Amino acid sequence: MYKKFLETQKTALIVYAHPEPKSFNAALRDTAVKTLKAQGYNVLVSDLYAQHFQPVISKTDIIGELGDPKHFNYPNEVGAAYTKDSLCLDIKQEIEKLKMADLVIFQFPMQWASVPAILKGWFERVLIKDFAFSFLNMFDEGLLKGKKCVLSMTTGSPGGMFTPNGLLGDLDVILWPIQYCTLRGCGFDVLKPQCIFSPAYADDKQREQMLHDWGTRLKNILTEEPIVFPSISNFDANKGFVMSDNYVEEQKNKENGPSVGHHLGKKMPL
């Protein structure tokens, strides 16, 4: 019976990127750990700052000889090293955690309209060729398909600034390179982000409500429908992966574009 439980138990990986243990991001991480464990999840945490995770790609990511030492091609070299089991230890450890995960939560403070450098480095060193994607397996055919992920983040600016008429612009546009080009590119089912706007300017009661709302969402997060993106099959490889004429024709009479990045000059999708 215990074996059957282990086979059906869900695993969540929290990739946490904040240097301060007393931060609100840490409180959001702890809320996720507590809530998910209470539901029977196996919860793994990659605390990137505490682990002193190295964010810079280099030749030292590969153990042993390079395939082409005269011209270092990182994607090809790490892809081959993954196949040969000759990646360095910290990358291997993160890959093993990611292999186990049904749900991945990226917990971080937004910095300069993106993720912190240490998390960007995690993307570059862990989401590697032949593990997370190949040039024949990307987006809805990405090698991590079937796994769900969510960006859980805090901002320094208030929410009104991240709207279509706000100073910083539409949050969905800001997150497009991360949610689509990176995570969906590797096959993840990307859930709507959990964005906590300017918690530093909230009072204790408001912050408690923010944590409560996050915990409430996590209780049913695997039942959520992911963000809809066009299938890679709708892009014509013979024309440089632009939308096929048939797909464009299908979209012609629709009021909204198919996605934030593929808006076709129309309104953003709802």
Side-chain angles (χ1 to χ4, degrees):
M1 187 171 181
Y2 182 65
K3 181 180 179 182
K4 185 177 181 181
F5 167 74
L6 290 177
E7 290 172 349
T8 59
Q9 185 184 31
K10 297 295 185 183
T11 295
L13 169 62
I14 302 172
V15 183
Y16 169 70
H18 198 293
E20 174 50 59
K22 296 179 182 179
S23 67
F24 194 71
N25 272 269
L28 289 162
R29 174 204 61 198
D30 293 345
T31 295
V33 171
K34 181 180 178 181
T35 303
L36 293 170
K37 281 188 173 181
Q39 295 178 86
Y41 280 77
N42 174 36
V43 181
L44 309 172
V45 178
S46 289
D47 186 337
L48 300 185
Y49 285 97
Q51 293 171 201
H52 301 288
F53 184 81
Q54 166 58 260
V56 180
I57 63 173
S58 72
K59 294 178 181 179
T60 58
D61 290 348
I62 296 103
I63 297 171
E65 295 184 2
L66 299 174
D68 184 359
K70 294 182 180 179
H71 183 80
F72 183 53
N73 182 309
Y74 188 83
N76 290 342
E77 292 288 357
V78 292
Y82 171 70
T83 303
K84 296 185 294 185
D85 194 27
S86 58
L87 288 167
C88 65
L89 181 60
D90 65 335
I91 296 178
K92 287 174 68 173
Q93 289 173 333
E94 295 303 308
I95 284 176
E96 288 307 308
K97 286 185 249 185
L98 189 47
K99 282 181 178 179
M100 296 173 63
D102 301 286
L103 170 68
V104 183
I105 298 169
F106 297 99
Q107 183 64 61
F108 62 95
M110 180 180 280
Q111 294 178 349
W112 291 112
S114 188
V115 299
I118 199 167
L119 180 52
K120 179 62 163 61
W122 188 95
F123 289 157
E124 293 185 3
R125 295 184 67 227
V126 179
L127 301 180
I128 57 172
K129 184 173 175 283
D130 296 329
F131 164 63
F133 72 95
S134 73
F135 296 124
L136 295 176
N137 299 96
M138 298 184 72
F139 297 98
D140 43 322
E141 294 300 325
L143 299 178
L144 299 181
K145 65 181 180 180
K147 298 180 183 293
K148 292 190 174 184
C149 72
V150 60
L151 302 180
S152 174
M153 58 191 165
T154 60
T155 71
S157 302
M161 293 176 69
F162 294 95
T163 57
N165 60 346
L167 179 63
L168 299 176
D170 192 324
L171 180 64
D172 290 332
V173 174
I174 293 170
L175 296 180
W176 175 259
I178 307 167
Q179 295 193 133
Y180 178 74
C181 301
T182 302
L183 300 174
R184 185 58 177 165
C186 295
F188 278 109
D189 288 328
V190 183
L191 304 177
K192 290 183 179 180
Q194 183 78 9
C195 194
I196 308 297
F197 297 108
S198 51
Y201 299 100
D203 58 33
D204 289 345
K205 187 175 181 179
Q206 289 171 322
R207 284 191 286 269
E208 287 175 10
Q209 186 63 48
M210 292 169 180
L211 296 174
H212 174 78
D213 291 345
W214 178 222
T216 299
R217 182 184 177 191
L218 285 168
K219 291 177 181 178
N220 296 294
I221 196 163
L222 283 184
T223 66
E224 292 182 8
E225 290 297 320
I227 300 170
V228 176
F229 300 109
S231 169
I232 195 171
S233 64
N234 293 317
F235 296 84
D236 191 339
N238 295 321
K239 294 183 178 180
F241 284 98
V242 298
M243 284 183 177
S244 68
D245 294 339
N246 288 341
Y247 186 68
V248 172
E249 184 66 23
E250 288 175 13
Q251 300 297 315
K252 186 170 64 174
N253 296 322
K254 295 182 180 180
E255 183 179 3
N256 299 91
S259 76
V260 170
H262 309 105
H263 52 74
L264 300 177
K266 302 180 182 183
K267 295 179 182 178
M268 296 292 186
L270 299 176

